[in-house]
Amino acid sequence: MNLLRFPCLILCCLLFSCQENTAQDTEDKIDYRHQMRSFVIEISETAKAENPNFLVIPQNGIELIFEKNELPAVDYLNAIDAVGQEDLFYGYPEFNKPTPTPDNTYLKKHLDSAKSSNKKVLVTDYCKTPEFIERSYSLNEENNYISFAAPRRELDIIPGAPIFNENKADINKLSKVKNFLYILNYAEYPSKQELISELAFTNYDLIILDLFFNEDTFTAEEIQQLKKKKNGGDRLVIAYMSIGEAEDYRYYWDETWNSNQPEWLVEENPHWAGNFKIAYWNEDWKNLIYRNENSYLSKIVNANFDGVYLDIIDAFQYFEAKK
């Protein structure tokens, strides 16, 4: 084809090429770590405006505590109350296996920097062998980390073993926490009330759980029931919220997205069906997470949780790898 005979076609091709290049240039200029820091800071500011004692704890993505020049990310550190880390001693890259020393050393270096900034460190190791569980708690205690040895990757059961560092103290702030429970999947529980009854019958200082039982949210009254340990002491109750991926089983999911995805919905996570990589800096996504009365964060605050446990903070790694 002689393109000189088709000037409109040439112009359209050039315009399309320019648009593609402009979009790529814009994406290349995005500082993905800065965008995630800003997102967490915005969530923190919104929640703490409602409740100054509301706790904000990002899980993984520990590199965000540093700027590019390796100086502390002060605004980010000021916005959070602790850091969470999975697989520190056990669970990466395989469940119930020790985490390789280079990975463990890298993570500990960053976690200790967070600790030196007066941030508590909450570690979830994934292991089921009794000696591994004992070793996990011992190693975490040696490093002054609070830990939970999860016997299943699905986080779907309450371990029957004695609680490590169990105590009767009233826990009304994070600095007093000596142990925690992390449970997100409620498939083992026939009803919400049965789950509440079993959780209330434990002595964990802090419980991290999902806001939703199936599609039903916990009420403020139900969460209040969980704020007492079996032994009578007070405890903290924190809600899980993923901000780095969208989940197609959440209340905010629009069925039309299955055939006509919004531009900020990138692709499905091949390891977790129903979870989708997202452009987390997108305004529409932020609106769903914290910017209106029906937002995810508003539901958590209104349900009287003591804080939020933010997941998929390390989503920036996915986008950096694509550059």
Side-chain angles (χ1 to χ4, degrees):
M1 179 187 296
N2 184 354
L3 290 180
L4 293 177
R5 296 174 56 195
F6 299 94
C8 289
L9 178 59
I10 295 173
L11 180 59
C12 287
C13 289
L14 288 173
L15 286 173
F16 180 74
S17 177
C18 287
Q19 288 172 350
E20 271 198 326
N21 290 336
T22 300
Q24 185 63 48
D25 289 344
T26 300
E27 187 170 316
D28 287 343
K29 291 177 182 177
I30 294 174
D31 184 335
Y32 299 112
R33 299 188 186 208
H34 173 75
Q35 291 294 340
M36 181 56 80
R37 282 194 207 96
S38 296
F39 195 7
V40 172
I41 291 169
E42 291 160 15
I43 289 170
S44 178
E45 289 175 345
T46 302
K48 290 177 185 290
E50 292 286 326
N51 175 8
N53 296 318
F54 193 83
L55 302 169
V56 176
I57 307 172
Q59 175 177 254
N60 302 330
I62 188 61
E63 297 90 344
L64 295 185
I65 67 169
F66 291 119
E67 299 282 3
K68 288 181 179 179
N69 53 14
E70 294 299 311
L71 292 175
V74 176
D75 289 345
Y76 180 73
L77 286 165
N78 288 340
I80 65 176
D81 299 278
V83 294
Q85 180 61 54
E86 292 180 293
D87 306 312
L88 179 61
F89 292 104
Y90 290 92
Y92 177 81
E94 187 177 348
F95 172 73
N96 202 44
K97 298 290 184 183
T99 296
T101 298
D103 299 287
N104 172 266
T105 301
Y106 172 84
L107 291 172
K108 278 179 60 184
K109 175 185 175 182
H110 288 74
L111 294 171
D112 286 342
S113 293
K115 191 172 64 176
S116 68
S117 296
N118 296 317
K119 305 301 172 185
K120 283 289 185 179
V121 177
L122 277 63
V123 171
T124 303
D125 279 331
Y126 293 94
C127 52
K128 65 179 181 179
T129 305
E131 54 265 37
F132 287 173
I133 291 174
E134 183 178 350
R135 183 65 173 156
S136 168
Y137 281 121
S138 177
L139 288 170
N140 278 291
E141 186 175 43
E142 285 176 17
N143 287 277
N144 198 27
Y145 305 151
I146 309 163
S147 67
F148 174 61
R152 287 173 57 83
R153 177 70 70 176
E154 293 79 5
L155 296 170
D156 59 353
I157 61 172
I158 302 170
I163 297 172
F164 188 78
N165 282 335
E166 184 175 343
N167 64 89
K168 295 182 178 181
D170 286 330
I171 308 299
N172 44 42
K173 53 186 177 180
L174 202 53
S175 60
K176 294 185 176 182
V177 171
K178 297 186 181 300
N179 58 73
F180 73 96
L181 169 69
Y182 194 4
I183 181 167
L184 300 181
N185 186 328
Y186 309 142
E188 298 293 321
Y189 298 91
S191 71
K192 192 203 300 187
Q193 192 52 53
E194 287 187 52
L195 172 62
I196 291 171
S197 297
E198 188 162 341
L199 288 171
F201 203 65
T202 68
N203 287 325
Y204 287 99
D205 289 347
L206 182 151
I207 299 176
I208 302 167
L209 72 162
D210 199 277
L211 168 65
F212 298 89
F213 187 97
N214 296 328
E215 296 182 359
D216 190 17
T217 61
F218 285 96
T219 66
E221 293 76 16
E222 289 166 340
I223 295 303
Q224 192 61 40
Q225 292 179 46
L226 297 179
K227 291 190 177 185
K228 278 289 182 184
K229 296 187 277 189
K230 176 188 173 184
N231 59 28
D234 294 337
R235 71 165 146 225
L236 300 171
V237 184
I238 308 292
Y240 170 93
M241 180 170 69
S242 173
I243 67 169
E245 287 184 348
E247 300 155 311
D248 67 4
Y249 45 87
R250 296 299 184 186
Y251 76 97
Y252 57 70
W253 188 267
D254 188 330
E255 290 299 322
T256 64
W257 296 350
N258 295 326
S259 56
N260 185 24
Q261 293 185 356
E263 62 178 6
W264 48 266
L265 202 60
V266 180
E267 67 175 351
E268 188 169 15
N269 185 332
H271 305 294
W272 291 94
N275 288 31
F276 291 79
K277 301 294 184 181
I278 53 166
Y280 49 82
W281 55 91
N282 180 274
E283 298 301 310
D284 290 340
W285 175 245
K286 290 186 176 185
N287 289 339
L288 292 173
I289 292 297
Y290 76 90
R291 283 181 173 167
N292 62 70
E293 293 181 357
N294 194 44
S295 70
Y296 206 148
L297 182 64
S298 292
K299 292 178 183 295
I300 289 170
V301 172
N302 292 338
N304 198 31
F305 281 90
D306 294 301
V308 66
Y309 204 66
L310 302 175
D311 198 17
I312 320 296
I313 297 299
D314 54 0
F316 61 85
Q317 296 173 354
Y318 166 82
F319 290 97
E320 288 179 346
K322 291 182 66 177
K323 278 189 175 183

mmCIF file of all heavy atoms in Angstrom, residues 283-320:
data_model
loop_
_atom_site.group_PDB
_atom_site.id
_atom_site.type_symbol
_atom_site.label_atom_id
_atom_site.label_comp_id
_atom_site.label_asym_id
_atom_site.label_seq_id
_atom_site.Cartn_x
_atom_site.Cartn_y
_atom_site.Cartn_z
ATOM 1 N N GLU A 283 -7.690 7.738 40.970
ATOM 2 C CA GLU A 283 -8.650 8.442 41.817
ATOM 3 C C GLU A 283 -9.907 7.610 42.073
ATOM 4 O O GLU A 283 -10.461 7.642 43.176
ATOM 5 C CB GLU A 283 -9.027 9.783 41.183
ATOM 6 C CG GLU A 283 -7.858 10.745 41.022
ATOM 7 C CD GLU A 283 -7.195 11.076 42.351
ATOM 8 O OE1 GLU A 283 -7.915 11.438 43.297
ATOM 9 O OE2 GLU A 283 -5.951 10.953 42.442
ATOM 10 N N ASP A 284 -10.380 6.877 41.075
ATOM 11 C CA ASP A 284 -11.585 6.061 41.257
ATOM 12 C C ASP A 284 -11.359 4.981 42.308
ATOM 13 O O ASP A 284 -12.254 4.687 43.110
ATOM 14 C CB ASP A 284 -12.003 5.416 39.935
ATOM 15 C CG ASP A 284 -12.535 6.427 38.932
ATOM 16 O OD1 ASP A 284 -12.940 7.531 39.373
ATOM 17 O OD2 ASP A 284 -12.533 6.133 37.718
ATOM 18 N N TRP A 285 -10.175 4.383 42.287
ATOM 19 C CA TRP A 285 -9.858 3.359 43.293
ATOM 20 C C TRP A 285 -9.786 3.982 44.684
ATOM 21 O O TRP A 285 -10.312 3.435 45.658
ATOM 22 C CB TRP A 285 -8.548 2.667 42.939
ATOM 23 C CG TRP A 285 -8.073 1.689 43.972
ATOM 24 C CD1 TRP A 285 -6.939 1.773 44.723
ATOM 25 C CD2 TRP A 285 -8.710 0.464 44.361
ATOM 26 N NE1 TRP A 285 -6.830 0.690 45.559
ATOM 27 C CE2 TRP A 285 -7.903 -0.129 45.354
ATOM 28 C CE3 TRP A 285 -9.886 -0.185 43.978
ATOM 29 C CZ2 TRP A 285 -8.237 -1.341 45.965
ATOM 30 C CZ3 TRP A 285 -10.218 -1.396 44.585
ATOM 31 C CH2 TRP A 285 -9.403 -1.952 45.565
ATOM 32 N N LYS A 286 -9.164 5.129 44.794
ATOM 33 C CA LYS A 286 -9.078 5.803 46.084
ATOM 34 C C LYS A 286 -10.462 6.171 46.618
ATOM 35 O O LYS A 286 -10.700 6.113 47.831
ATOM 36 C CB LYS A 286 -8.195 7.048 45.984
ATOM 37 C CG LYS A 286 -6.718 6.742 45.791
ATOM 38 C CD LYS A 286 -5.872 8.005 45.850
ATOM 39 C CE LYS A 286 -4.388 7.682 45.759
ATOM 40 N NZ LYS A 286 -3.547 8.894 45.923
ATOM 41 N N ASN A 287 -11.376 6.526 45.715
ATOM 42 C CA ASN A 287 -12.741 6.830 46.141
ATOM 43 C C ASN A 287 -13.391 5.614 46.797
ATOM 44 O O ASN A 287 -14.107 5.734 47.797
ATOM 45 C CB ASN A 287 -13.587 7.278 44.944
ATOM 46 C CG ASN A 287 -13.194 8.660 44.445
ATOM 47 O OD1 ASN A 287 -12.594 9.449 45.167
ATOM 48 N ND2 ASN A 287 -13.524 8.956 43.202
ATOM 49 N N LEU A 288 -13.148 4.441 46.239
ATOM 50 C CA LEU A 288 -13.710 3.216 46.797
ATOM 51 C C LEU A 288 -13.109 2.891 48.161
ATOM 52 O O LEU A 288 -13.803 2.403 49.050
ATOM 53 C CB LEU A 288 -13.463 2.039 45.847
ATOM 54 C CG LEU A 288 -14.206 2.048 44.509
ATOM 55 C CD1 LEU A 288 -13.719 0.914 43.632
ATOM 56 C CD2 LEU A 288 -15.708 1.944 44.737
ATOM 57 N N ILE A 289 -11.836 3.191 48.323
ATOM 58 C CA ILE A 289 -11.144 2.806 49.545
ATOM 59 C C ILE A 289 -11.423 3.745 50.711
ATOM 60 O O ILE A 289 -11.680 3.300 51.835
ATOM 61 C CB ILE A 289 -9.622 2.708 49.291
ATOM 62 C CG1 ILE A 289 -9.323 1.536 48.355
ATOM 63 C CG2 ILE A 289 -8.858 2.534 50.610
ATOM 64 C CD1 ILE A 289 -9.705 0.168 48.915
ATOM 65 N N TYR A 290 -11.407 5.073 50.483
ATOM 66 C CA TYR A 290 -11.519 5.933 51.664
ATOM 67 C C TYR A 290 -12.241 7.270 51.479
ATOM 68 O O TYR A 290 -12.417 8.007 52.461
ATOM 69 C CB TYR A 290 -10.128 6.210 52.238
ATOM 70 C CG TYR A 290 -9.304 7.213 51.476
ATOM 71 C CD1 TYR A 290 -9.354 8.568 51.786
ATOM 72 C CD2 TYR A 290 -8.463 6.820 50.438
ATOM 73 C CE1 TYR A 290 -8.605 9.499 51.092
ATOM 74 C CE2 TYR A 290 -7.711 7.733 49.745
ATOM 75 C CZ TYR A 290 -7.778 9.077 50.069
ATOM 76 O OH TYR A 290 -7.028 9.995 49.372
ATOM 77 N N ARG A 291 -12.710 7.604 50.313
ATOM 78 C CA ARG A 291 -13.128 8.982 50.072
ATOM 79 C C ARG A 291 -14.630 9.256 50.151
ATOM 80 O O ARG A 291 -15.060 10.338 49.789
ATOM 81 C CB ARG A 291 -12.617 9.444 48.713
ATOM 82 C CG ARG A 291 -11.147 9.799 48.713
ATOM 83 C CD ARG A 291 -10.727 10.267 47.349
ATOM 84 N NE ARG A 291 -9.358 10.766 47.344
ATOM 85 C CZ ARG A 291 -8.661 11.007 46.240
ATOM 86 N NH1 ARG A 291 -9.219 10.799 45.061
ATOM 87 N NH2 ARG A 291 -7.426 11.453 46.308
ATOM 88 N N ASN A 292 -15.429 8.333 50.617
ATOM 89 C CA ASN A 292 -16.861 8.627 50.745
ATOM 90 C C ASN A 292 -17.464 7.818 51.882
ATOM 91 O O ASN A 292 -16.803 6.959 52.470
ATOM 92 C CB ASN A 292 -17.595 8.356 49.418
ATOM 93 C CG ASN A 292 -17.491 6.893 49.007
ATOM 94 O OD1 ASN A 292 -18.086 6.025 49.626
ATOM 95 N ND2 ASN A 292 -16.719 6.622 47.952
ATOM 96 N N GLU A 293 -18.729 8.078 52.190
ATOM 97 C CA GLU A 293 -19.374 7.461 53.349
ATOM 98 C C GLU A 293 -19.576 5.962 53.177
ATOM 99 O O GLU A 293 -19.767 5.251 54.164
ATOM 100 C CB GLU A 293 -20.722 8.144 53.617
ATOM 101 C CG GLU A 293 -20.581 9.594 54.071
ATOM 102 C CD GLU A 293 -21.909 10.243 54.356
ATOM 103 O OE1 GLU A 293 -22.956 9.578 54.138
ATOM 104 O OE2 GLU A 293 -21.916 11.413 54.792
ATOM 105 N N ASN A 294 -19.557 5.489 51.942
ATOM 106 C CA ASN A 294 -19.713 4.058 51.688
ATOM 107 C C ASN A 294 -18.377 3.385 51.399
ATOM 108 O O ASN A 294 -18.322 2.236 50.970
ATOM 109 C CB ASN A 294 -20.662 3.819 50.500
ATOM 110 C CG ASN A 294 -21.124 2.383 50.400
ATOM 111 O OD1 ASN A 294 -21.489 1.764 51.386
ATOM 112 N ND2 ASN A 294 -21.099 1.834 49.192
ATOM 113 N N SER A 295 -17.288 4.098 51.647
ATOM 114 C CA SER A 295 -15.963 3.552 51.356
ATOM 115 C C SER A 295 -15.618 2.415 52.309
ATOM 116 O O SER A 295 -16.214 2.258 53.383
ATOM 117 C CB SER A 295 -14.904 4.648 51.459
ATOM 118 O OG SER A 295 -14.719 5.030 52.815
ATOM 119 N N TYR A 296 -14.642 1.639 51.905
ATOM 120 C CA TYR A 296 -14.161 0.511 52.708
ATOM 121 C C TYR A 296 -13.704 1.006 54.088
ATOM 122 O O TYR A 296 -14.059 0.445 55.129
ATOM 123 C CB TYR A 296 -13.007 -0.153 51.963
ATOM 124 C CG TYR A 296 -12.767 -1.607 52.261
ATOM 125 C CD1 TYR A 296 -12.278 -2.453 51.268
ATOM 126 C CD2 TYR A 296 -12.997 -2.143 53.517
ATOM 127 C CE1 TYR A 296 -12.034 -3.791 51.515
ATOM 128 C CE2 TYR A 296 -12.753 -3.490 53.770
ATOM 129 C CZ TYR A 296 -12.274 -4.307 52.759
ATOM 130 O OH TYR A 296 -12.025 -5.632 53.013
ATOM 131 N N LEU A 297 -12.917 2.072 54.096
ATOM 132 C CA LEU A 297 -12.398 2.596 55.356
ATOM 133 C C LEU A 297 -13.531 3.089 56.256
ATOM 134 O O LEU A 297 -13.502 2.850 57.475
ATOM 135 C CB LEU A 297 -11.407 3.732 55.091
ATOM 136 C CG LEU A 297 -10.744 4.335 56.333
ATOM 137 C CD1 LEU A 297 -9.869 3.312 57.043
ATOM 138 C CD2 LEU A 297 -9.908 5.564 55.954
ATOM 139 N N SER A 298 -14.528 3.743 55.688
ATOM 140 C CA SER A 298 -15.658 4.232 56.486
ATOM 141 C C SER A 298 -16.384 3.082 57.170
ATOM 142 O O SER A 298 -16.791 3.189 58.334
ATOM 143 C CB SER A 298 -16.631 5.011 55.605
ATOM 144 O OG SER A 298 -16.068 6.217 55.161
ATOM 145 N N LYS A 299 -16.542 1.970 56.460
ATOM 146 C CA LYS A 299 -17.202 0.811 57.048
ATOM 147 C C LYS A 299 -16.400 0.269 58.237
ATOM 148 O O LYS A 299 -16.972 -0.148 59.254
ATOM 149 C CB LYS A 299 -17.390 -0.286 55.985
ATOM 150 C CG LYS A 299 -18.389 0.071 54.890
ATOM 151 C CD LYS A 299 -18.485 -1.038 53.862
ATOM 152 C CE LYS A 299 -19.435 -0.663 52.732
ATOM 153 N NZ LYS A 299 -20.831 -0.524 53.188
ATOM 154 N N ILE A 300 -15.079 0.284 58.113
ATOM 155 C CA ILE A 300 -14.221 -0.196 59.195
ATOM 156 C C ILE A 300 -14.289 0.729 60.407
ATOM 157 O O ILE A 300 -14.451 0.282 61.547
ATOM 158 C CB ILE A 300 -12.771 -0.336 58.683
ATOM 159 C CG1 ILE A 300 -12.663 -1.512 57.712
ATOM 160 C CG2 ILE A 300 -11.787 -0.498 59.851
ATOM 161 C CD1 ILE A 300 -11.347 -1.598 56.978
ATOM 162 N N VAL A 301 -14.194 2.026 60.166
ATOM 163 C CA VAL A 301 -14.272 3.001 61.256
ATOM 164 C C VAL A 301 -15.631 2.927 61.943
ATOM 165 O O VAL A 301 -15.721 2.917 63.185
ATOM 166 C CB VAL A 301 -14.004 4.423 60.728
ATOM 167 C CG1 VAL A 301 -14.269 5.463 61.819
ATOM 168 C CG2 VAL A 301 -12.561 4.553 60.236
ATOM 169 N N ASN A 302 -16.699 2.835 61.167
ATOM 170 C CA ASN A 302 -18.047 2.795 61.726
ATOM 171 C C ASN A 302 -18.316 1.508 62.505
ATOM 172 O O ASN A 302 -19.193 1.488 63.380
ATOM 173 C CB ASN A 302 -19.090 2.953 60.615
ATOM 174 C CG ASN A 302 -19.070 4.338 59.991
ATOM 175 O OD1 ASN A 302 -18.600 5.290 60.592
ATOM 176 N ND2 ASN A 302 -19.567 4.441 58.773
ATOM 177 N N ALA A 303 -17.582 0.451 62.191
ATOM 178 C CA ALA A 303 -17.753 -0.815 62.905
ATOM 179 C C ALA A 303 -16.957 -0.846 64.212
ATOM 180 O O ALA A 303 -16.929 -1.880 64.888
ATOM 181 C CB ALA A 303 -17.351 -1.983 62.018
ATOM 182 N N ASN A 304 -16.301 0.274 64.555
ATOM 183 C CA ASN A 304 -15.636 0.411 65.854
ATOM 184 C C ASN A 304 -14.353 -0.410 65.978
ATOM 185 O O ASN A 304 -13.949 -0.769 67.087
ATOM 186 C CB ASN A 304 -16.605 0.052 66.991
ATOM 187 C CG ASN A 304 -16.149 0.586 68.345
ATOM 188 O OD1 ASN A 304 -15.503 1.635 68.420
ATOM 189 N ND2 ASN A 304 -16.469 -0.135 69.406
ATOM 190 N N PHE A 305 -13.717 -0.694 64.843
ATOM 191 C CA PHE A 305 -12.400 -1.332 64.904
ATOM 192 C C PHE A 305 -11.388 -0.340 65.479
ATOM 193 O O PHE A 305 -11.550 0.878 65.358
ATOM 194 C CB PHE A 305 -11.946 -1.777 63.518
ATOM 195 C CG PHE A 305 -12.581 -3.056 63.039
ATOM 196 C CD1 PHE A 305 -13.766 -3.032 62.320
ATOM 197 C CD2 PHE A 305 -11.980 -4.275 63.302
ATOM 198 C CE1 PHE A 305 -14.347 -4.202 61.872
ATOM 199 C CE2 PHE A 305 -12.547 -5.463 62.854
ATOM 200 C CZ PHE A 305 -13.744 -5.425 62.139
ATOM 201 N N ASP A 306 -10.335 -0.873 66.071
ATOM 202 C CA ASP A 306 -9.284 -0.025 66.648
ATOM 203 C C ASP A 306 -8.257 0.411 65.609
ATOM 204 O O ASP A 306 -7.402 1.258 65.904
ATOM 205 C CB ASP A 306 -8.562 -0.772 67.772
ATOM 206 C CG ASP A 306 -9.459 -1.047 68.958
ATOM 207 O OD1 ASP A 306 -9.989 -0.074 69.533
ATOM 208 O OD2 ASP A 306 -9.652 -2.233 69.299
ATOM 209 N N GLY A 307 -8.324 -0.162 64.426
ATOM 210 C CA GLY A 307 -7.346 0.200 63.412
ATOM 211 C C GLY A 307 -7.530 -0.627 62.158
ATOM 212 O O GLY A 307 -8.489 -1.398 62.022
ATOM 213 N N VAL A 308 -6.589 -0.474 61.236
ATOM 214 C CA VAL A 308 -6.665 -1.169 59.956
ATOM 215 C C VAL A 308 -5.304 -1.768 59.621
ATOM 216 O O VAL A 308 -4.256 -1.174 59.896
ATOM 217 C CB VAL A 308 -7.142 -0.201 58.845
ATOM 218 C CG1 VAL A 308 -6.114 0.907 58.580
ATOM 219 C CG2 VAL A 308 -7.487 -0.933 57.567
ATOM 220 N N TYR A 309 -5.341 -2.975 59.057
ATOM 221 C CA TYR A 309 -4.143 -3.699 58.640
ATOM 222 C C TYR A 309 -4.138 -3.695 57.119
ATOM 223 O O TYR A 309 -4.925 -4.378 56.475
ATOM 224 C CB TYR A 309 -4.207 -5.124 59.188
ATOM 225 C CG TYR A 309 -2.878 -5.823 59.346
ATOM 226 C CD1 TYR A 309 -1.938 -5.371 60.269
ATOM 227 C CD2 TYR A 309 -2.584 -6.964 58.608
ATOM 228 C CE1 TYR A 309 -0.725 -6.036 60.448
ATOM 229 C CE2 TYR A 309 -1.382 -7.640 58.779
ATOM 230 C CZ TYR A 309 -0.456 -7.165 59.700
ATOM 231 O OH TYR A 309 0.739 -7.816 59.889
ATOM 232 N N LEU A 310 -3.272 -2.886 56.533
ATOM 233 C CA LEU A 310 -3.283 -2.639 55.088
ATOM 234 C C LEU A 310 -2.421 -3.669 54.349
ATOM 235 O O LEU A 310 -1.228 -3.799 54.618
ATOM 236 C CB LEU A 310 -2.762 -1.226 54.801
ATOM 237 C CG LEU A 310 -3.528 -0.082 55.467
ATOM 238 C CD1 LEU A 310 -2.836 1.251 55.193
ATOM 239 C CD2 LEU A 310 -4.975 -0.044 54.992
ATOM 240 N N ASP A 311 -3.033 -4.352 53.394
ATOM 241 C CA ASP A 311 -2.321 -5.414 52.681
ATOM 242 C C ASP A 311 -2.036 -5.020 51.236
ATOM 243 O O ASP A 311 -2.598 -4.069 50.701
ATOM 244 C CB ASP A 311 -3.143 -6.696 52.709
ATOM 245 C CG ASP A 311 -2.293 -7.927 52.391
ATOM 246 O OD1 ASP A 311 -1.047 -7.836 52.474
ATOM 247 O OD2 ASP A 311 -2.872 -8.981 52.067
ATOM 248 N N ILE A 312 -1.147 -5.795 50.625
ATOM 249 C CA ILE A 312 -0.637 -5.600 49.264
ATOM 250 C C ILE A 312 0.014 -4.221 49.156
ATOM 251 O O ILE A 312 -0.084 -3.532 48.127
ATOM 252 C CB ILE A 312 -1.729 -5.804 48.186
ATOM 253 C CG1 ILE A 312 -2.622 -6.976 48.536
ATOM 254 C CG2 ILE A 312 -1.054 -6.056 46.827
ATOM 255 C CD1 ILE A 312 -1.942 -8.322 48.566
ATOM 256 N N ILE A 313 0.680 -3.824 50.204
ATOM 257 C CA ILE A 313 1.470 -2.592 50.191
ATOM 258 C C ILE A 313 2.632 -2.727 49.204
ATOM 259 O O ILE A 313 3.091 -1.748 48.616
ATOM 260 C CB ILE A 313 1.997 -2.294 51.607
ATOM 261 C CG1 ILE A 313 0.835 -2.051 52.576
ATOM 262 C CG2 ILE A 313 2.945 -1.100 51.613
ATOM 263 C CD1 ILE A 313 -0.037 -0.882 52.214
ATOM 264 N N ASP A 314 3.099 -3.953 49.006
ATOM 265 C CA ASP A 314 4.228 -4.183 48.102
ATOM 266 C C ASP A 314 3.810 -4.238 46.636
ATOM 267 O O ASP A 314 4.580 -4.688 45.778
ATOM 268 C CB ASP A 314 4.965 -5.459 48.490
ATOM 269 C CG ASP A 314 4.065 -6.682 48.588
ATOM 270 O OD1 ASP A 314 2.837 -6.548 48.343
ATOM 271 O OD2 ASP A 314 4.554 -7.771 48.936
ATOM 272 N N ALA A 315 2.614 -3.757 46.307
ATOM 273 C CA ALA A 315 2.159 -3.743 44.904
ATOM 274 C C ALA A 315 3.095 -2.945 44.006
ATOM 275 O O ALA A 315 3.152 -3.176 42.799
ATOM 276 C CB ALA A 315 0.741 -3.181 44.818
ATOM 277 N N PHE A 316 3.841 -2.009 44.591
ATOM 278 C CA PHE A 316 4.771 -1.212 43.782
ATOM 279 C C PHE A 316 5.809 -2.091 43.095
ATOM 280 O O PHE A 316 6.322 -1.741 42.025
ATOM 281 C CB PHE A 316 5.462 -0.146 44.656
ATOM 282 C CG PHE A 316 6.283 -0.694 45.785
ATOM 283 C CD1 PHE A 316 7.597 -1.087 45.583
ATOM 284 C CD2 PHE A 316 5.755 -0.810 47.063
ATOM 285 C CE1 PHE A 316 8.367 -1.585 46.617
ATOM 286 C CE2 PHE A 316 6.519 -1.298 48.113
ATOM 287 C CZ PHE A 316 7.829 -1.697 47.891
ATOM 288 N N GLN A 317 6.121 -3.241 43.680
ATOM 289 C CA GLN A 317 7.126 -4.129 43.093
ATOM 290 C C GLN A 317 6.659 -4.682 41.748
ATOM 291 O O GLN A 317 7.462 -4.855 40.825
ATOM 292 C CB GLN A 317 7.440 -5.268 44.066
ATOM 293 C CG GLN A 317 8.075 -4.803 45.359
ATOM 294 C CD GLN A 317 8.219 -5.906 46.376
ATOM 295 O OE1 GLN A 317 7.743 -7.030 46.180
ATOM 296 N NE2 GLN A 317 8.875 -5.607 47.502
ATOM 297 N N TYR A 318 5.363 -4.954 41.641
ATOM 298 C CA TYR A 318 4.798 -5.458 40.389
ATOM 299 C C TYR A 318 5.009 -4.451 39.255
ATOM 300 O O TYR A 318 5.418 -4.816 38.152
ATOM 301 C CB TYR A 318 3.314 -5.758 40.604
ATOM 302 C CG TYR A 318 2.521 -5.974 39.331
ATOM 303 C CD1 TYR A 318 2.513 -7.193 38.674
ATOM 304 C CD2 TYR A 318 1.760 -4.927 38.786
ATOM 305 C CE1 TYR A 318 1.778 -7.388 37.522
ATOM 306 C CE2 TYR A 318 1.021 -5.110 37.625
ATOM 307 C CZ TYR A 318 1.040 -6.335 36.993
ATOM 308 O OH TYR A 318 0.312 -6.533 35.849
ATOM 309 N N PHE A 319 4.718 -3.173 39.536
ATOM 310 C CA PHE A 319 4.828 -2.161 38.496
ATOM 311 C C PHE A 319 6.284 -1.810 38.194
ATOM 312 O O PHE A 319 6.628 -1.536 37.041
ATOM 313 C CB PHE A 319 4.040 -0.915 38.907
ATOM 314 C CG PHE A 319 2.551 -1.135 38.901
ATOM 315 C CD1 PHE A 319 1.884 -1.436 40.066
ATOM 316 C CD2 PHE A 319 1.854 -1.068 37.719
ATOM 317 C CE1 PHE A 319 0.511 -1.664 40.060
ATOM 318 C CE2 PHE A 319 0.472 -1.291 37.692
ATOM 319 C CZ PHE A 319 -0.192 -1.581 38.868
ATOM 320 N N GLU A 320 7.115 -1.826 39.206
ATOM 321 C CA GLU A 320 8.553 -1.572 38.961
ATOM 322 C C GLU A 320 9.145 -2.659 38.087
ATOM 323 O O GLU A 320 9.992 -2.383 37.222
ATOM 324 C CB GLU A 320 9.296 -1.496 40.294
ATOM 325 C CG GLU A 320 9.001 -0.244 41.092
ATOM 326 C CD GLU A 320 9.734 -0.190 42.415
ATOM 327 O OE1 GLU A 320 10.271 -1.239 42.855
ATOM 328 O OE2 GLU A 320 9.769 0.886 43.019
#
